[in-house]
Amino acid sequence: MPASVVYTDTVLRRELHLLALYRILEASLLCLLVFSPVGALIGAPHDRALGAAVALASLPASLALWWWARRPGADLGEMALIGVVADILIATFISHALPAAGPGVALLLVTNIGGAALFLRLRVALVVAALAALGLAAEFVWSMLEGSRTRPLAETLMFGVSFFAVATLTNLLGERMRRSQALAERRGEEAASLAGLNELIIRRMRTGVMIVDGHGTVQLANEAAGLIFANHDGALEGRALTELSPGLARRLRAWRRDARNDESPLACGPERIEVQPRFARLLPGSESALVFLDDASLVSRRAESLTLSAMGRFSASLAHEIRNPLAAISYATQLLEESEDLSEPDRRLLQIIHQQCLRTNGIVESVLGLARRERAMGEPVDLVACVRRFVDEYQATLQPENGSVRASGRERPLEAVFDPRHLHQILTVLVNNAIHHGRLPGEPARVTLVADERDGRPAVEVIDRGPGIPDAVAHQVGRPFFTTSEHGTGLGLYIARELARANGADLDYVPVPGGGACFRLAMPGRNPLLSA
């Protein structure tokens, strides 16, 4: 019986409430016609007692239907059907009691039938229209039998046709309106969901996003922007952009003036995070601007990752190519050592060549292992003995005018677990850097290797007495391709750090208060279960 409820419950109940108020108005007008002198202006009643009874019954009935419509759990279709049936009965009896008011009552009934058709299915609405037409026909026959017929039959038939037409049109119109409302509500829910999804994406995206109005005040900012400006709760709204970053505010003003984006890196926030700002107008003709803050470090890390991937493949192929001539040099050295015509100094030179061939081969193997991400072959080593042996070998190949290398620290053994080949390569990189960069102008380099415990961990420190590393670039030391020398590649420290990481160790730069630089290779502490 009830129509398909597509409207929201609030809208439907509001319409039914208005229909109930209209029914109260009809009942009030009916009481006014029956119990006041106004009724004499229309005409004499045919049956005053019936009219009074119907008028007295219609007012409390309409009030009861109005109260029922206000209840939240009431069925809408059921209320509409009961109400319109009551309206038909009242209209039938009042038309017979007050014949002069019959046409007006029939016109009022048209509105009741149309309002009820909004809440009923089409077939039920047509049944209601048929009941109303039968009611008028029954009243017509009743009047004929009593000999008091005052209206022609054509009028009754025209009102009957009107009931069917209004019920049909109102029901179809209401169904179309309900479908439009349902579609609008679905689109509204989808738009709200998409808006919530967009807000979540914007707030969680890694690119900082801010909306700045024409006065330079931040209206909205996502979490990434809050992290850039060291505001972890993201409460940047309402703050002036000049307060957060004067440089960014200047670039925004320049963009508004020239409409050109300056995407060069800009340090923002107390942590001086480098970002690449981009600007866009929020709406055409609006002074509000969208500010995008791309983390330059993420971009550089992606570029480094792609470059290192290519360099890894290149270094692997290059290492394979180096091994062939290296093997030939090593084999030729061995053949020369078998000669009996060589003097002792020449044999010493051949030994150095052979040692350097073995060392270079170890470096090639390490590069190949790094490119293939091979695991380090850690084994127990005595750091004190390894450091002293390395110093002796390195000092033998070092020209005196270039500097000196010496071992210091404890004399007793210091055991650690490390790959000896990797340790040798790391120390070679660190000492080479110290020889080339750790010297004062006009003086040879002085490099000291210290093997000792630091914070309970076995460690090796490479210390020089040079100018040190400026604080502005100290945090970039160890990054691939970063170098302060025009002849360097910036891969040495990176490979050394990767080799240390493969062995579970840390390679860090430690400033020296008295001047110079210190690189500390801190290895994992010894497992107490192994030392038991």
Side-chain angles (χ1 to χ4, degrees), residues 51-365:
V54 173
L56 290 176
S58 64
L59 187 58
S62 60
L63 290 174
L65 290 172
W66 172 77
W67 176 81
W68 190 14
R70 290 175 58 88
R71 299 180 59 187
D75 184 85
L76 302 180
E78 183 180 350
M79 286 189 296
L81 182 61
I82 294 176
V84 75
V85 170
D87 294 335
I88 293 172
L89 292 176
I90 292 173
T92 301
F93 287 113
I94 204 66
S95 297
H96 185 73
L98 301 174
V105 172
L107 286 176
L108 293 177
L109 184 61
V110 170
T111 304
N112 294 69
I113 293 174
L118 291 174
F119 302 91
L120 303 173
R121 296 184 184 277
L122 180 59
R123 286 180 294 181
V124 180
L126 293 177
V127 171
V128 169
L131 289 176
L134 289 176
L136 291 185
E139 192 278 330
F140 180 82
V141 173
W142 188 7
S143 298
M144 286 184 60
L145 294 177
E146 291 185 350
S148 60
R149 181 172 64 85
T150 59
R151 294 194 306 274
L153 178 61
E155 179 181 313
T156 303
L157 294 177
M158 290 176 62
F159 275 117
V161 174
S162 300
F163 293 155
F164 281 100
V166 169
T168 302
L169 293 177
T170 306
N171 183 272
L172 295 177
L173 180 62
E175 187 68 24
R176 178 169 296 182
M177 293 174 60
R178 286 191 290 268
R179 290 177 181 174
S180 300
Q181 180 70 16
L183 179 61
E185 289 183 353
R186 286 197 299 270
R187 294 292 185 265
E189 293 175 357
E190 292 175 359
S193 300
L194 290 176
L197 180 61
N198 290 338
E199 182 178 358
L200 178 61
I201 292 174
I202 291 174
R203 289 199 171 274
R204 294 303 177 91
M205 65 190 300
R206 293 185 177 182
T207 300
V209 179
M210 294 191 302
I211 298 179
V212 182
D213 61 13
H215 302 288
T217 303
V218 178
Q219 295 179 331
L220 183 65
N222 66 348
E223 295 177 0
L227 293 176
I228 290 174
F229 294 101
N231 197 322
H232 298 282
D233 58 358
L236 297 179
E237 290 81 356
R239 300 180 62 180
L241 187 60
T242 53
E243 175 188 351
L244 297 174
S245 176
L248 185 59
R250 286 193 298 270
R251 291 200 183 184
L252 178 58
R253 288 194 296 268
W255 171 79
R256 283 174 171 164
R257 184 178 62 253
D258 303 331
R260 294 181 179 179
N261 270 321
D262 183 4
E263 298 185 5
S264 59
L266 176 68
C268 294
E271 298 183 2
R272 312 302 295 167
I273 299 177
E274 287 191 350
V275 298
Q276 289 179 318
R278 292 180 291 114
F279 308 102
R281 199 170 297 279
L282 183 60
L283 293 173
S286 173
E287 291 295 329
S288 298
L290 276 170
V291 181
F292 299 94
L293 303 175
D294 296 321
D295 193 344
S297 61
L298 293 177
V299 177
S300 62
R301 282 198 293 270
R302 292 192 189 104
E304 288 176 2
S305 178
L306 294 175
T307 305
L308 290 175
S309 177
M311 286 298 297
R313 294 191 294 269
F314 172 74
S315 60
S317 60
L318 182 62
H320 282 294
E321 295 297 328
I322 292 176
R323 297 174 84 179
N324 294 329
L326 189 63
I329 295 173
S330 178
Y331 181 67
T333 303
Q334 294 177 7
L335 292 178
L336 285 175
E337 288 179 345
E338 296 177 0
S339 175
E340 298 180 356
D341 299 332
L342 292 177
S343 61
E344 191 62 29
D346 292 338
R347 292 187 181 276
R348 177 58 181 164
L349 292 175
L350 288 176
Q351 291 177 359
I352 294 175
I353 295 174
H354 184 64
Q355 290 175 357
Q356 296 307 311
C357 287
L358 295 177
R359 180 181 300 176
T360 305
N361 185 67
I363 295 174
V364 170
E365 293 292 339

